[in-house]
Amino acid sequence: MTLFKWSKPIGAICAIAIILYGWIGLAQSPQPSVRLTTNPPINQVRPLEAEATTVLGSGHYNPPVHLMLQAFDAQGQSLKDAKIHLQLFTPLKNPWFTTDFPIVEGTKLLDIEGNAPTGQLQVQQTLPIRGTYQLLVAVTPLVANAFEPIQQTLTLTLPENPLKFRYFAILVVILLAVGLLGGWVIGGRQAIQPGEIAPQQVRLLLSGLIVVAIAALLWVNISAELAESHMSMPGMGEEVPSSGKPAKLQSQGLYMQLSGDKSATVGQPAKLQVSVSDPKTSQPVTDVVLKVTTTQLENNWVAFAYEGTPDSNGKLAWEQEFFDGAPHSVVIEVAPQAKAKEQFQPFQVAENIPVEGVAPPMAVRLISLTYFTGIVVIGLLLGLWLRHRQTPRTGLTWKRSVS
């Protein structure tokens, strides 16, 4: 009777133990996954310099970083005949420590889907700002039910350019020195003439600080307005230069067309698409290789590049964000695959896209100005404190010398 009484609880405990063991074993078993590698390594990559000058920068623009996604099955083997969908998002906004391109913070930088016969997708992308980027990756089979779809979120963290820390330290030292000098002058014992509310040196110093503050506010606002005006009219009011290549072309028995948005705005993705077909039958052509290159025209640096094959409809569609307010050139080159039946000489279509810039928000500019003003105030207080400590000692020495 006693054995029968405990049989049900024991059986329930055993069943729970078996379920937990199976669940833990399943969780620990290898799962299909996507691996991200970069070339060069991400710790050697630096954000894009807004102006790569030799005075306040490296003097050159670095090439885009290679992002390589490789899909693996549960046994660690590369998946075959897959389709990979990549969405790349920029680091989230941080209102207290903004980047060189505050408008693009927390936005979608790239959205592209491409065929991956060997389970690999490669893109070249210039990363504009520091911080942690998020990659949403979805892998699906080209052949239905060939494998279970994979969805994975990956991250990569881009460090800040060390030159920024050096220049910021130099600026802090200069501002502190200005404040320290001002505090030392104000803190000194100075005679006040009849009818004056403050000594002459103090009044001159305060007047100078007011003029500097007003000049700083005017410079911040006027430069921002000029930048916004410049960015809204690419090429300093000039027309966007022609690409010299058509956006659609029929050549060697193929018809290729580049379509999508004809203009773009910083912070918003632009939709683009290229299609390849047979002009005689209007049937899509898929045994070709498409090379996409997006170049910023003012300084001639590559923002995005991709090489892949079109889908079953002979199309390749993607979204990309233009984070610099300058004209960009989008060039598509088509070439035959190595095993294609019809071989032909590669040819190109292109489109030059004007990009409207967006000035940083007023709040961002005021926060930066507040930081600089705060540094001057700290130097001012430090100068007053040092002067206050020095003054009694000087007075004591003078009394002793008189006695």
Side-chain angles (χ1 to χ4, degrees):
M1 188 67 178
T2 305
L3 181 62
F4 177 76
K5 179 180 179 181
W6 289 98
S7 61
K8 290 184 178 180
I10 293 175
I13 293 173
C14 292
I16 293 174
I18 292 173
I19 293 173
L20 289 176
Y21 180 79
W23 181 79
I24 294 173
L26 181 62
Q28 293 179 346
S29 62
Q31 298 292 323
S33 62
V34 179
R35 184 181 304 165
L36 170 66
T37 56
T38 65
N39 185 25
I42 195 62
N43 59 355
Q44 299 178 12
V45 180
R46 296 295 179 264
L48 174 73
E49 296 180 30
E51 294 293 339
T53 62
T54 55
V55 178
L56 294 176
S58 62
H60 66 277
Y61 292 94
N62 294 323
V65 59
H66 289 247
L67 303 177
M68 292 164 282
L69 297 170
Q70 181 67 58
F72 296 94
D73 59 18
Q75 288 71 40
Q77 301 296 322
S78 298
L79 288 175
K80 305 297 183 182
D81 298 326
K83 180 183 295 185
I84 298 180
H85 183 198
L86 168 65
Q87 298 180 76
L88 175 61
F89 294 88
T90 59
L92 298 177
K93 291 181 178 295
N94 186 338
W96 306 112
F97 300 99
T98 185
T99 62
D100 288 347
F101 299 91
I103 301 300
V104 307
E105 296 173 2
T107 60
K108 184 191 292 185
L109 187 60
L110 178 65
D111 190 335
I112 188 170
E113 184 177 61
N115 294 337
T118 62
Q120 186 178 88
L121 178 75
Q122 294 190 42
V123 299
Q124 299 179 51
Q125 177 66 57
T126 294
L127 303 177
I129 58 177
R130 67 174 185 272
T132 300
Y133 291 76
Q134 189 177 60
L135 298 88
L136 303 183
V137 184
V139 184
T140 55
L142 288 174
V143 180
N145 302 321
F147 57 84
E148 289 294 327
I150 305 172
Q151 290 189 354
Q152 192 169 339
T153 300
L154 304 171
T155 59
L156 59 86
T157 301
L158 185 65
E160 181 59 282
N161 191 334
L163 290 175
K164 297 292 181 67
F165 297 110
R166 182 188 307 174
Y167 297 140
F168 179 73
I170 294 173
L171 180 60
V172 168
V173 170
I174 294 174
L175 294 177
L176 280 176
V178 171
L180 186 64
L181 178 61
W184 182 269
V185 173
I186 294 176
R189 293 184 177 180
Q190 302 173 20
I192 301 178
Q193 301 298 328
E196 296 180 343
I197 60 175
Q200 183 180 6
Q201 292 183 348
V202 174
R203 287 186 284 110
L204 291 175
L205 178 63
L206 293 177
S207 299
L209 290 176
I210 292 173
V211 171
V212 170
I214 294 174
L217 283 172
L218 290 174
W219 178 80
V220 168
N221 289 279
I222 293 175
S223 62
E225 295 301 325
L226 290 176
E228 184 175 10
S229 175
H230 164 69
M231 291 184 293
S232 63
M233 297 185 295
M236 296 293 290
E238 300 178 0
E239 294 294 331
V240 177
S242 173
S243 64
K245 301 181 179 65
K248 52 185 177 181
L249 180 62
Q250 180 176 334
S251 175
Q252 305 174 73
L254 292 178
Y255 176 74
M256 182 166 63
Q257 180 179 6
L258 173 61
S259 58
D261 294 337
K262 302 301 181 182
S263 62
T265 302
V266 171
Q268 301 177 11
K271 298 181 179 181
L272 298 167
Q273 176 181 280
V274 61
S275 59
V276 185
S277 61
D278 187 331
K280 295 181 181 179
T281 62
S282 298
Q283 294 299 312
V285 176
T286 60
D287 57 348
V288 294
V289 177
L290 298 174
K291 298 179 180 179
V292 182
T293 305
T294 300
T295 306
Q296 196 257 31
L297 294 178
E298 280 190 356
N299 305 108
N300 199 35
W301 48 265
V302 176
F304 167 72
Y306 171 74
E307 180 176 337
T309 59
D311 59 17
S312 58
N313 297 317
K315 297 180 180 180
L316 173 65
W318 74 98
E319 296 180 17
Q320 67 176 105
E321 179 181 345
F322 298 92
F323 47 82
D324 190 21
H328 287 65
S329 172
V330 180
V331 179
I332 315 293
E333 180 180 282
V334 61
Q337 295 184 11
K339 298 181 181 180
K341 295 181 179 179
E342 300 293 334
Q343 296 293 317
F344 57 90
Q345 291 296 322
F347 62 92
Q348 296 178 341
V349 295
E351 183 82 39
N352 283 1
I353 299 179
V355 180
E356 180 180 356
V358 180
M362 179 63 70
V364 173
R365 289 176 263 166
L366 291 179
I367 288 175
S368 301
L369 182 61
T370 301
Y371 287 155
F372 297 148
T373 305
I375 294 172
V376 175
V377 171
I378 292 174
L380 185 67
L381 296 175
L382 183 60
L384 288 172
W385 178 72
L386 292 175
R387 188 69 170 185
H388 178 72
R389 289 191 60 186
Q390 183 70 20
T391 300
R393 297 179 183 178
T394 305
L396 181 60
T397 303
W398 177 78
K399 289 181 180 179
R400 288 179 180 176
S401 62
V402 171
S403 60

